[in-house]
């Protein structure tokens, strides 16, 4: 048994970093939650809404791998509370933004804060996981998905009645987040000596050139799988609310309830996916996630108002079940670069979602909402590329050979 596997799972730390993730992603979810209000108050087009999403995801995704690489070389606990303070500034900017440019600046602050949080947050989850890495990453990701799921409620309960200025209330949430992350950072600082960074960095090198190529190939496949999942998720979380309002002639709060069902189901899917991957394997859960959701996704544009509820629930559970598993899969593929690969995979997921939001917004303006939503329903079929991924057993064998060389 490895040194990491011999360590116990530290649940108080996992729940604390999961709560911090909830707050971080809830603040990020404020942005899409405000879209219906911003569209009316600032007279925005779908392309401009897509650009807001692009700025949010691009600022959070591009920095993440670099933050992860920096943290692999020099773990920095203070990144956690500092990032949350930047998010607080973003909430202030959004509440008082007089125009489109100020909104973009505020959104960039929230994105940068997210980029600072995710690699170190994922590292802390990895450190506290013991031998239950799938479960630990699920607890961490469930926090984030819960925060994202709050977006429809934010629209219905805050932005719809109070308008853009309603964002001011989230500065209180950011203040709570700073307090939590200061405590987590203290624990992290006290336990840095337990993170086998230098040793794992040496072990992380593949045994030979053949393994290097296999690992690069697997990472490229994971990126394409994340691409399919992110574009489809972007079509649901960003534009499906407008499709519902147009297709079923319903109000903003009612349409947001559908999105809440999808995102709420995603919380369940994320929580189940990690422990399930500890039992049946990471690759199997990744395949189940995308290919399992494909039939329901393709039915979605053709469903009536009643059947849309259960379809969104099933899609939410299945599509989100591989979020945490994908990160753990790559962490185990490259075990000595936890921060780098966590930032890379999570960042790319956000980044691809950003590109997708802009592209889909432009397509909607050029064609129609119904056409784009229908086309996106086929995206989960690209998850079939997961059959080409190395098996969990092969990754364990590679890891064992690396440790053997170390000895």
């Amino acid at each position: 048994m490895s040194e990491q596997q011999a360590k116990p799972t530290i649940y108080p730390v996992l729940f604390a970093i999961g709560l911090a993730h909830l707050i971080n992603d809830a603040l990020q979810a404020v942005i899409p939650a405000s879209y219906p209000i911003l569209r009316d108050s600032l007279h925005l087009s779908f392309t401009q809404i897509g650009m807001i999403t692009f700025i949010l995801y691009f600022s959070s995704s591009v920095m993440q791998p670099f933050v992860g690489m920096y943290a692999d070389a020099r773990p920095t606990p203070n990144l956690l509370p500092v990032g949350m303070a930047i998010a607080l500034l973003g909430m202030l900017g959004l509440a008082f933004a007089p125009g489109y440019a100020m909104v973009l600046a505020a959104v960039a602050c929230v994105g940068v804060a997210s980029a600072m949080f995710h690699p170190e947050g994922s590292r802390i989850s990895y450190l506290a996981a013991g031998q239950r890495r799938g479960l630990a990453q699920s607890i961490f990701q469930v926090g984030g998905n819960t925060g994202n799921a709050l977006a429809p409620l934010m629209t219905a309960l805050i932005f719809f009645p109070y308008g853009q200025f309603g964002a001011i209330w989230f500065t209180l949430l950011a203040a709570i987040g700073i307090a939590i992350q200061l405590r987590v950072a203290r624990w992290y600082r006290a336990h840095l000596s337990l993170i086998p960074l230098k040793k794992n960095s040496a072990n992380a090198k593949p045994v030979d050139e053949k393994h290097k190529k296999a690992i690069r190939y697997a990472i490229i496949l994971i990126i394409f799988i994340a691409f399919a999942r992110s574009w489809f998720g972007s079509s649901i979380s960003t534009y499906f609310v407008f499709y519902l309002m147009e297709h079923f002639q319903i109000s903003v709060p009612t349409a947001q309830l559908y999105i809440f069902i999808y995102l709420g189901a995603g919380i369940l899917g994320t929580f189940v996916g990690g422990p399930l991957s500890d039992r049946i394997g990471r690759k199997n859960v990744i395949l189940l996630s995308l290919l399992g959701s494909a039939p329901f996704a393709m039915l979605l544009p053709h469903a009536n108002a009643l059947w849309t509820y259960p379809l969104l629930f099933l899609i939410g559970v299945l599509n989100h079940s591989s979020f945490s598993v994908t990160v753990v899969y790559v962490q185990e593929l490259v075990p000595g670069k936890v921060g780098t690969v966590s930032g890379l995979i999570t960042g790319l997921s956000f980044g691809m979602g950003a590109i997708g939001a802009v592209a889909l917004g432009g397509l909607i303006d050029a064609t129609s909402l119904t056409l784009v939503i229908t086309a996106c329903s086929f995206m989960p079929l690209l998850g079939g590329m997961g059959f080409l991924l190395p098996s969990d057993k092969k990754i364990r064998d590679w890891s064992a050979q690396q440790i053997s060389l170390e000895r």
Side-chain angles (χ1 to χ4, degrees):
M1 182 177 291
S2 69
E3 182 182 354
Q4 175 69 14
Q5 290 176 323
K7 295 177 182 177
T9 303
I10 308 173
Y11 288 101
V13 174
L14 290 177
F15 290 129
I17 197 64
L19 181 57
H21 197 184
L22 184 155
I23 294 174
N24 179 87
D25 283 24
L27 296 177
Q28 189 165 312
V30 168
I31 308 304
S34 67
Y35 286 166
I37 305 303
L38 292 175
R39 186 183 68 162
D40 292 338
S41 63
L42 300 179
H43 308 290
L44 304 181
S45 67
F46 282 113
T47 301
Q48 287 176 310
I49 290 174
M51 183 58 67
I52 294 175
T53 305
F54 175 79
I55 293 296
L56 175 64
Y57 289 166
F58 186 80
S59 59
S60 66
S61 64
V62 169
M63 284 185 61
Q64 278 198 43
F66 297 103
V67 173
M69 286 187 287
Y70 177 81
D72 280 333
R74 185 179 178 181
T76 310
N78 288 336
L79 282 178
L80 297 171
V82 169
M84 187 59 68
I86 294 174
L88 189 152
L89 292 177
M91 289 299 101
L92 283 173
L94 182 64
F96 292 101
Y100 184 57
M102 185 65 180
V103 168
L104 293 180
V107 166
C109 287
V110 176
V112 168
S114 182
M116 295 172 69
F117 170 77
H118 281 98
E120 285 289 61
S122 189
R123 175 190 295 283
I124 291 171
S125 174
Y126 187 89
L127 171 62
Q131 59 184 329
R132 307 197 67 183
R133 291 175 182 168
L135 174 63
Q137 192 64 219
S138 281
I139 292 173
F140 177 67
Q141 293 293 347
V142 159
N145 285 359
T146 303
N148 281 319
L150 294 175
L153 296 182
M154 294 175 194
T155 300
L157 301 177
I158 297 177
F159 288 112
F160 190 70
Y162 298 111
Q164 182 180 336
F165 185 72
I168 196 69
W169 291 103
F170 296 100
T171 59
L172 298 177
L173 188 62
I176 294 172
I178 291 172
I180 293 172
Q181 296 200 60
L182 282 170
R183 292 181 64 86
V184 172
R186 281 198 292 270
W187 179 90
Y188 184 23
R189 190 177 297 107
H191 288 78
L192 278 178
S193 61
L194 300 179
I195 306 177
L197 291 175
K198 294 184 179 179
K199 180 179 177 180
N200 278 353
S201 295
N203 289 344
K205 296 179 181 179
V207 175
D208 53 34
E209 187 62 29
K210 178 182 177 181
H211 288 172
K212 284 185 180 181
K213 291 181 179 178
I215 289 173
R216 284 197 295 266
Y217 179 66
I219 291 175
I220 290 171
L221 285 175
I222 285 289
I223 289 171
F224 275 106
I225 290 171
F227 160 83
R229 189 179 61 197
S230 297
W231 273 55
F232 176 69
S234 181
S235 73
I236 298 294
S237 61
T238 304
Y239 299 112
F240 198 67
V241 63
F242 299 109
Y243 172 84
L244 291 168
M245 293 165 61
E246 176 183 295
H247 201 63
F248 298 129
Q249 301 300 309
I250 56 179
S251 66
V252 171
T254 303
Q256 290 291 347
L257 179 60
Y258 284 88
I259 307 303
F260 177 73
I261 293 294
Y262 168 75
L263 296 175
I267 298 171
L268 176 62
T270 301
F271 184 75
V272 170
L276 184 62
S277 74
D278 287 335
R279 287 180 169 271
I280 70 171
R282 322 293 184 206
K283 178 178 176 178
N284 290 334
V285 172
I286 291 171
L287 285 169
L288 175 65
S289 174
L290 276 84
L291 294 183
S293 66
F296 305 113
M298 289 185 287
L299 285 173
L300 187 62
H302 310 288
N304 60 26
L306 178 62
W307 279 102
T308 298
Y309 281 115
L311 285 175
L312 283 173
F313 178 83
L314 291 170
I315 294 168
V317 170
L318 290 166
N319 193 47
H320 288 78
S321 64
S322 63
F323 269 58
S324 62
V325 178
T326 304
V327 175
V328 175
Y329 181 90
V330 182
Q331 286 177 345
E332 293 176 344
L333 194 64
V334 192
K337 300 290 184 180
V338 175
T340 302
V341 299
S342 299
L344 178 67
I345 299 303
T346 306
L348 278 175
S349 294
F350 280 116
M352 290 174 185
I355 296 171
V358 174
L360 294 177
L363 285 173
I364 291 170
D365 286 334
T367 58
S368 72
L369 195 55
T370 300
L371 177 63
V372 172
I373 291 296
T374 302
C376 287
S377 69
F378 292 90
M379 293 295 290
L381 289 174
L382 294 176
M385 291 183 293
F387 284 111
L388 302 175
L389 289 171
S391 67
D392 293 69
K393 182 180 183 301
K394 182 174 290 187
I395 292 175
R396 287 194 297 269
D397 290 343
W398 289 347
S399 179
Q401 291 177 44
Q402 293 172 36
I403 293 173
S404 176
L405 284 184
E406 165 74 9
R407 291 174 178 171

